[in-house]
Amino acid sequence: MSRHVAIVTDSTAYLPARTMERHGITAVPLTVVLGDRALEEGTEISTRSLAQALQKRRPVTTSRPSPELFAEIYRRAAESGATGIVSLHLSAELSGTYDAAVLAAREAPVPVRVVDTGMIAMALGFCALAAAETAEAGGTVDEAVTAAEKRAAGTSAYFYVDTLDYLRRGGRIGAAQALLGSALAVKPLLQLAGGRIEPLEKVRTASRAIARLEEIAADRAGSAEVDVAVHHLSAPERASALADRLRTRLPGLSELHVSEVGAVIGAHTGPGLLGVVVSAR
């Protein structure tokens, strides 16, 4: 991170390692607590291990990075020559990560702008990329923040889950909403709205829900120039097929990423997750 403005995000951005290295982005890991073991996302727990734990109904929770870890990352950035830092994180409605970063920023050796993007997964990743590209072009901290916020404003995220039970257990969706979904035996579609995970539609079958997810993403993209990410958890065939269909449907498609989410988001959605992020360039 020798650039004038250093870019920091967190592990829930799910940016490819090569992309982070190329753009000099540092990701601070969140933690998954599996039973009595605290494991860093991305290095100490695999999505396969997580899926197996969830299927066995083992207790799984998540926790934010500590302010001390953020402070160490900021110190290293300053020692590498950064004179300013932009720290971009998942929605503060979903995690205390933003608050931990704010605490650390107060004692950082260089100015740090901490941004609650209101995003998760590659919706956050696209914001971090926008900030990094601006910094690479010689932009200031303020200009990098503006680029990230502009990208966030043009980004939408939609999700299909097999059940709302995992979101209910983690407190990310109301118990009444989860119970209603189970009682009606519907397949829920969700969206990210105001930094929160909100119900979007209820569809009777998984195949219809996935088809509807495709329609929603295509309508959102229209003919604009967009980047798209397709996420999944333990559903690679579904994700690959959906990505192939979107390639043929989106005339303005620039980049398309297909990836499995990490353990932190997976812990709250459960196996079978399929998500689409549409981000206007």
Side-chain angles (χ1 to χ4, degrees):
M1 294 191 301
S2 60
R3 294 178 177 83
H4 178 70
V5 176
I7 306 301
V8 174
T9 186
D10 59 67
S11 60
T12 67
Y14 301 134
L15 285 163
R18 291 192 304 273
T19 300
M20 289 196 297
E21 183 176 355
R22 183 167 68 250
H23 293 284
I25 300 170
T26 299
V28 181
L30 275 73
T31 299
V32 177
V33 182
L34 191 59
D36 59 356
R37 299 175 63 204
L39 305 167
E40 283 190 356
E41 180 175 43
T43 58
E44 296 180 339
I45 181 170
S46 67
T47 50
R48 181 178 180 182
S49 297
L50 170 77
Q52 291 172 343
L54 291 173
Q55 288 164 349
K56 294 176 182 177
R57 301 189 72 83
R58 293 179 62 189
V60 180
T61 58
T62 60
S63 65
R64 71 181 191 179
S66 68
E68 291 76 17
L69 180 55
F70 273 110
E72 175 64 15
I73 296 296
Y74 297 156
R75 183 186 63 77
R76 290 180 196 168
E79 290 177 351
S80 296
T83 57
I85 300 169
V86 176
S87 200
L88 302 146
H89 301 292
L90 79 160
S91 172
E93 294 282 350
L94 302 175
S95 169
T97 300
Y98 168 82
D99 294 330
V102 168
L103 287 173
R106 294 172 182 166
E107 307 299 327
V110 296
V112 181
R113 286 282 301 278
V114 183
V115 180
D116 172 12
T117 66
M119 301 282 116
I120 53 175
M122 271 299 292
L124 167 59
F126 287 132
C127 294
L129 281 173
E133 289 166 357
T134 299
E136 288 169 345
T140 64
V141 164
D142 287 345
E143 288 168 340
V145 169
T146 297
E149 291 176 339
K150 182 178 179 181
R151 195 69 186 258
T155 298
S156 300
Y158 309 100
F159 308 93
Y160 160 81
V161 291
D162 280 332
T163 173
L164 291 172
D165 190 45
Y166 297 104
L167 284 162
R168 177 193 59 78
R169 287 188 222 168
R172 266 60 181 186
I173 200 165
Q177 293 171 330
L179 180 63
L180 180 62
S182 300
L184 295 177
V186 298
K187 296 298 183 180
L189 292 177
L190 310 167
Q191 66 178 334
L192 194 61
R196 301 176 65 87
I197 298 172
E198 301 286 355
L200 179 61
E201 296 182 7
K202 300 183 180 72
V203 186
R204 284 291 180 182
T205 67
S207 60
R208 289 180 181 177
I210 293 170
R212 182 61 184 139
L213 182 65
E214 178 187 337
E215 290 288 340
I216 292 168
D219 289 346
R220 171 65 180 81
S223 59
E225 185 179 3
V226 295
D227 293 328
V228 171
V230 176
H231 288 304
H232 72 93
L233 181 63
S234 300
E237 295 85 3
R238 278 180 176 175
S240 179
L242 176 57
D244 288 343
R245 293 193 299 272
L246 289 173
R247 283 189 184 95
T248 65
R249 292 195 61 166
L250 305 184
L253 181 63
S254 181
E255 294 185 10
L256 193 151
H257 303 263
V258 182
S259 65
E260 190 166 33
V261 298
V264 167
I265 289 181
H268 295 292
T269 61
L273 163 75
L274 196 61
V276 180
V277 175
V278 180
S279 183
R281 276 184 166 261

